[in-house]
Amino acid sequence: MFIQQTKQNVRMDYRLNYHLMAEVGWMNDPNGFIQYNGEFHLFYQHYPYKPVWGPMHWGHAVSRDLVKWEFLPIALAPDEAFDRDGCFSGSAIEKDGKLVLMYTGHVVTGPDTDQDYKQSQGIAISDDGVNFTKWGNNPVIGYDDIPEEISKKDFRDPKMFVRNGQYYIVLGSNDAKGNGLIILYRSDNLKQWTYVNVIAASGGQLGDNWECPDLFQLDDKDVLMLSPQRMPAQGEAYRNLHSTMSIIGKLDLATGLFHAEQYAPIDHGFDYYAPQTTQDDNGRRIVIAWMDMWESEMPTQEDHGWAGAMSLPREVLLIDGRIVYRPLKEIERYRSEVYSIHDFILDGTQEMDTRGDSYELQVVFEADQASEFGVKLRTGAGKNGLEETVLSYDIKTGLLIFNRDLSGIGPGGERKAFVPLQDGRLSLRIFVDKCSVEVFANDGEVVMTGRIYPSADSQGINVFSEGTSRVVSFEKWDIR
Ligand code: FRU
């Protein structure tokens, strides 16, 4: 009711065209991502009443193609003893034709809500994928089931998966001594759970608490994804307050030990957190994340009535031993108004004869004699002076640089990621949508995501080069 009555008050200025947002109010983590009876269901951390984080509900949307979403009624609200202060993040699984959600119940235990709380896990079940009933005997993993060496407070975000006919969850936690942990539990029936082991730990270097784990098979490897909090930067990587990480390795189900081989950031930009994956009916592994960052200014919180959005869903692939991320082919169906130009030499800045605030752009550069080249998006006069969002490539260091210092209102800053040229070329596939930019470099080897808040009429696109480079191709489609 509240949502239906208030959603027309949401200001449209920065509303995204092809990314999921809450109808009104606040959104954070994706939850319960699953294809069920052919349709994709995505739930999300949601506070409908204000565009700020509050007692968490699970918002719910469905889609046939992962581009256009339809809203369903709120799936979970905090209304039981074990979840009275929030239905925190979790996941979905199909069992005997029913859709089962598992999530964290959050309970505040004292006056300092940032410090005084406890968490346990519960389930909710649906016959139709729309109406959910919380199980009568929740929690299924209570406070007393938490082993000694693990935090009694931070114990959340169960991600379910099936192996050899058994159910498993990974959970995020810490050792109460400043190290993030991922914990594994096993079950036959989703109601009784047995602790297996700590499968991964930060070891002092990788963040003091780990959130939102996910574990899945990719070819012959196991991949663990997680969101480390307050992880120190490593060179240009992990520069946000909180990060995301994928670890490739092998999980030994009997011992619950995960043999990690290598880890890497999932996204190298500013705004990407709490990614969750699912496998669709065609066997694709698809990841989606919250396209924002905790404790980073969100201009739509001011007086727009909404805050928070999802990234584009991305396909996760293992290529030559590394994880790459690609846009789904479904998005291509929404292309219109192609603008394309091939093969021209660039020296200095060239304004392109096309504009927009909601499009896909594919540019291939050949470095040639240049020391630096790139593309400027959302350029314009702006109310407070020149606006531009700059993606530049520095030949000497091999760094792709995303700079949003002049992007408009909202936070600025720069993120860099190493992207080797391929045969002297850099290919960028860029998705711009009203207040977001997602860059897939060299076919998804590196992805950089950031929110920007330019003036509405800053819609220009420039390419530039210090010294001569060649634009092999420049192709753009509007996406609506
Ligand atoms: C991650 C997170 C989760 C938690 C949820 C609460 O962004 O902190 O660990 O379940 O958000 O909204």
Side-chain angles (χ1 to χ4, degrees):
M1 265 312 261
F2 175 85
I3 294 178
Q4 295 317 316
Q5 282 163 1
T6 55
K7 68 179 186 197
Q8 55 283 351
N9 303 337
V10 161
R11 263 176 68 180
M12 296 307 288
D13 324 28
Y14 286 121
R15 293 289 281 177
L16 297 142
N17 284 314
Y18 54 94
H19 289 79
L20 181 67
M21 300 153 287
E23 285 175 284
V24 56
W26 170 269
M27 163 194 277
N28 59 287
D29 312 357
N31 295 152
F33 190 22
I34 192 168
Q35 190 171 19
Y36 173 70
N37 294 338
E39 281 190 318
F40 290 97
H41 289 248
L42 187 67
F43 303 82
Y44 48 90
Q45 291 287 282
H46 184 36
Y47 185 60
Y49 304 108
K50 278 187 192 147
V52 297
W53 190 83
M56 282 291 110
H57 296 57
W58 276 38
H60 187 186
V62 286
S63 176
R64 295 222 153 262
D65 63 7
L66 293 159
V67 182
K68 294 293 166 189
W69 295 90
E70 224 179 276
F71 291 98
L72 291 176
I74 283 182
L76 303 175
D79 54 12
E80 306 256 334
F82 89 101
D83 68 13
R84 65 166 191 238
D85 296 305
C87 299
F88 275 19
S89 286
S91 54
I93 208 164
E94 184 175 342
K95 182 174 189 284
D96 306 328
K98 297 181 201 294
L99 189 54
V100 182
L101 308 180
M102 186 162 180
Y103 68 100
T104 298
H106 181 74
V107 170
V108 172
T109 54
D112 181 352
T113 55
D114 288 339
Q115 293 298 327
D116 307 331
Y117 56 82
K118 55 183 183 177
Q119 302 180 329
S120 61
Q121 322 308 318
I123 58 174
I125 302 163
S126 172
D127 294 326
D128 59 3
V130 180
N131 302 292
F132 291 84
T133 309
K134 292 177 187 173
W135 190 48
N137 287 323
N138 280 335
V140 293
I141 302 178
Y143 313 113
D144 300 336
D145 303 322
I146 305 177
E148 266 309 292
E149 61 282 11
I150 294 165
S151 164
K152 293 281 168 282
K153 278 167 44 183
D154 299 298
F155 187 65
R156 58 178 177 268
D157 311 336
K159 177 67 170 39
M160 295 180 273
F161 58 97
V162 179
R163 288 276 176 101
N164 306 335
Q166 287 205 294
Y167 298 100
Y168 289 86
I169 50 166
V170 276
L171 277 164
S173 186
N174 64 68
D175 63 1
K177 296 185 201 115
N179 295 297
L181 300 178
I182 303 299
I183 325 278
L184 184 71
Y185 277 75
R186 179 191 294 133
S187 173
D188 294 326
N189 52 21
L190 299 175
K191 289 173 179 164
Q192 277 90 36
W193 290 90
T194 310
Y195 169 73
V196 183
N197 214 337
V198 171
I199 64 163
S202 103
Q205 298 299 309
L206 310 177
D208 60 26
N209 183 51
W210 283 0
E211 299 186 312
C212 300
D214 197 336
L215 198 143
F216 54 89
Q217 287 172 303
L218 202 55
D219 301 338
D220 58 341
K221 297 290 184 188
D222 291 305
V223 176
L224 177 63
M225 285 185 171
L226 55 111
S227 296
Q229 288 192 290
R230 292 165 290 272
M231 174 173 164
Q234 298 184 357
E236 297 300 342
Y238 310 106
R239 293 220 160 230
N240 297 322
L241 178 59
H242 310 304
S243 298
T244 56
M245 181 191 280
S246 67
I247 312 179
I248 301 177
K250 208 74 199 143
L251 177 66
D252 182 335
L253 279 175
T255 59
L257 290 175
F258 182 76
H259 302 282
E261 293 162 16
Q262 48 164 306
Y263 66 89
I266 298 174
D267 188 284
H268 297 255
F270 305 90
D271 296 292
Y272 195 82
Y273 197 67
Q276 185 173 98
T277 76
T278 194
Q279 190 167 39
D280 77 352
D281 294 345
N282 297 318
R284 291 185 299 182
R285 178 61 54 178
I286 302 168
V287 64
I288 192 163
W290 186 39
M291 192 165 55
D292 287 284
M293 182 50 59
W294 290 112
E295 287 157 70
S296 170
E297 185 198 339
M298 299 163 85
T300 62
Q301 286 188 299
E302 266 314 295
D303 56 353
H304 290 246
W306 69 281
M310 291 298 159
S311 70
L312 280 182
R314 304 170 183 173
E315 188 170 357
V316 185
L317 296 159
L318 195 62
I319 295 182
D320 296 332
R322 290 183 48 194
I323 301 181
V324 304
Y325 302 91
R326 298 200 176 141
L328 300 181
K329 62 178 185 323
E330 283 89 334
I331 192 77
E332 294 169 21
R333 283 190 225 135
Y334 292 87
R335 288 172 172 172
S336 66
E337 309 287 329
V338 62
Y339 171 89
S340 116
I341 164 161
H342 291 263
D343 210 11
F344 61 94
I345 301 291
L346 192 59
D347 193 356
T349 298
Q350 180 167 333
E351 195 176 325
M352 303 305 289
D353 192 16
T354 181
R355 302 163 53 75
D357 63 6
S358 180
Y359 56 84
E360 173 186 346
L361 177 61
Q362 294 194 22
V363 207
V364 179
F365 289 95
E366 200 163 78
D368 201 10
Q369 308 294 318
S371 57
E372 188 191 358
F373 58 81
V375 46
K376 297 184 180 181
L377 310 165
R378 301 300 310 269
T379 68
K383 284 185 275 299
N384 305 315
L386 169 81
E387 287 179 1
E388 58 182 25
T389 297
V390 185
L391 299 172
S392 58
Y393 187 78
D394 182 58
I395 301 284
K396 232 199 254 135
T397 54
L399 291 172
L400 177 64
I401 304 165
F402 180 167
N403 185 305
R404 62 175 184 183
D405 283 336
L406 297 179
S407 289
I409 56 170
E414 195 167 70
R415 291 290 178 271
K416 305 178 182 179
F418 179 66
V419 184
L421 295 178
Q422 291 175 346
D423 299 326
R425 290 180 176 192
L426 175 75
S427 89
L428 298 178
R429 190 165 174 200
I430 303 163
F431 289 85
V432 170
D433 188 1
K434 295 297 281 284
C435 58
S436 71
V437 178
E438 289 162 280
V439 186
F440 298 79
N442 283 351
D443 228 359
E445 254 177 44
V446 161
V447 191
M448 300 177 95
T449 301
R451 299 298 291 280
I452 55 164
Y453 298 88
S455 308
D457 49 7
S458 290
Q459 297 200 12
I461 307 174
N462 297 341
V463 286
F464 66 93
S465 182
E466 291 280 333
T468 50
S469 64
R470 193 162 75 91
V471 177
V472 179
S473 60
F474 179 106
E475 293 169 288
K476 168 180 166 278
W477 299 265
D478 287 338
I479 299 191
R480 293 268 156 208

